[in-house]
Amino acid sequence: MGFWAKLKEKMFGTEEERALRKKQKLEEKEYKKTLKELEKKNKLGTYISGLSKSNDSFIAAIKQLQNKHNKIDEEFFEGLEEILIMSDISMKLVNIIINECKKEVRTENISDPRLITEIIADKLFTIYTANSIVDTSLNIESNRLNIILVVGVNGCGKTTSISKIANKLILQGKKVLIAAADTFRAAAVEQLEIWSSKIGADIIKPSLNETDPAAVVYKALEKGINENYDVLIIDTAGRLQNKVNLMSELAKINKIITNKIPDGPHESLLVLDATTGQNGIMQAKIFKESTPLTGIILTKMDGTSKGGIVLTIKDEIGLAVKYIGMGEKLSDLVEFDLETYIYGLMKGL
């Protein structure tokens, strides 16, 4: 064996060892690819089952409209407008969708009503992404205490959403602390305690007779910083009856956070119940006035037949949906994916 061959073997191993490493790398690459495809398949399955009510309702209405009309005319578009409104899409967006569909129909010289479904799907996608980058990832970085503030009215699924997000982060290897700062509802604290025990998250609760949410947040921040937690998720009270109280409470919590972590909170997420429809939009506007928000968690999507609410939220509030709740299981809170959402909504057309 020559000098260079010996040196190569010393540095990189024998030919057999190199071939084995190459094989292992290829296998690893193949495994990651399979895992990714499986995740995509599972996600698609979750969306299809979670959006089945919206899908059934939307498809039935569109097919009925298509069967009723032999050609695309003004009367057809009036029927389509009605269907979109019934899907909880705001009037402003409905007008844009209809006008864009009319343009496309004229340009492509389409007259068959069965050929319009692809145009509708394309317009839903284009309108959601218009003039913005849709970022559904959470702002979580290494080597800092990441603060996630969660707001929303009672009964919207806030407590379970917090638990599901905490579970996802724990599965990613993060050390997670939950602050049960909804001091006005003992049931919320108890529920969070049960969930945190189930998923392996630590929790800071109010002391006996403690009613100040800010005090709970302060204790959680101290523990989070001193014990090197990766993520602190803060639950808050969701009382809309007195907006002044809500605003001052959230302002106090935000001040305590920024005193300890100047760039916190890194995420301020609003939890909305999809079944409340336009009422949820009103809630969102009140919370947006009360605290800066970074995104929406839309829960109970599997319980509504009006899937268009996702588009209305983005348009009316200017916030993207980051997570969408499709059921009761821990895995049923999924990162929002626009293409999969539109596929789930329109599957069968």
Side-chain angles (χ1 to χ4, degrees), residues 69 71-79 98 102:
H69 295 270
K71 60 175 185 172
I72 297 172
D73 54 17
E74 200 55 44
E75 200 181 323
F76 175 86
F77 279 117
E78 281 172 20
I98 295 293
K102 282 180 178 178

Side-chain angles (χ1 to χ4, degrees), residues 126-133 314:
T126 309
I127 284 162
Y128 191 89
T129 54
N131 307 318
S132 67
I133 296 163
K314 175 82 173 356

Side-chain angles (χ1 to χ4, degrees), residues 43-177:
K43 191 179 187 180
L44 190 63
T46 305
Y47 266 79
I48 288 167
S49 60
L51 288 168
S52 61
K53 270 194 179 182
S54 292
N55 174 259
D56 291 348
S57 164
F58 194 65
I59 281 184
I62 293 280
K63 282 187 174 175
Q64 194 179 356
L65 181 70
Q66 287 171 332
N67 292 334
K68 190 180 169 184
H69 295 270
N70 295 321
K71 60 175 185 172
I72 297 172
D73 54 17
E74 200 55 44
E75 200 181 323
F76 175 86
F77 279 117
E78 281 172 20
L80 179 59
E81 185 179 283
E82 203 173 304
I83 292 166
L84 295 172
I85 292 167
M86 291 303 289
S87 295
D88 254 350
I89 300 174
S90 68
M91 197 64 225
K92 178 189 159 193
L93 281 183
V94 169
N95 287 334
I96 294 168
I97 294 165
I98 295 293
N99 287 334
E100 287 297 312
C101 285
K102 282 180 178 178
K103 274 187 216 169
E104 192 89 12
V105 163
R106 278 197 302 270
T107 308
E108 300 293 327
N109 199 23
I110 296 165
S111 60
D112 186 347
R114 287 167 298 179
L115 299 176
I116 202 168
T117 48
E118 201 173 312
I119 296 170
I120 297 166
D122 180 56
K123 297 310 166 193
L124 293 179
F125 187 90
T126 309
I127 284 162
Y128 191 89
T129 54
N131 307 318
S132 67
I133 296 163
V134 179
D135 182 14
T136 56
S137 61
L138 294 178
N139 178 18
I140 289 174
E141 292 179 11
S142 303
N143 305 314
R144 75 174 186 194
L145 176 61
N146 295 277
I147 315 288
I148 301 174
L149 184 70
V150 184
V151 299
V153 298
N154 299 334
C156 66
K158 183 159 52 81
T159 310
T160 47
S161 295
I162 287 168
S163 309
K164 287 173 182 180
I165 287 174
N167 183 61
K168 284 180 186 297
L169 294 168
I170 288 164
L171 291 174
Q172 289 168 20
K174 307 287 183 196
K175 188 180 178 185
V176 177
L177 179 64

Side-chain angles (χ1 to χ4, degrees), residues 181-184 206-216 239 249:
D182 185 351
T183 55
F184 297 90
S207 305
L208 194 66
N209 300 323
E210 188 169 48
T211 57
D212 184 7
V216 180
R239 299 163 303 135
E249 200 174 278

Side-chain angles (χ1 to χ4, degrees), residues 139 141 144-145 147 257-258 260-267:
N139 178 18
E141 292 179 11
R144 75 174 186 194
L145 176 61
I147 315 288
I257 293 168
T258 50
K260 290 277 184 188
I261 312 276
D263 61 341
H266 305 101
E267 289 284 358

Side-chain angles (χ1 to χ4, degrees), residues 6 43 131 168 180 221 240 243 267 306-307 312 317 348:
K6 281 182 184 175
K43 191 179 187 180
N131 307 318
K168 284 180 186 297
L221 285 161
L240 288 187
K243 200 169 84 172
E267 289 284 358
K306 299 182 175 186
T312 304
I317 311 158

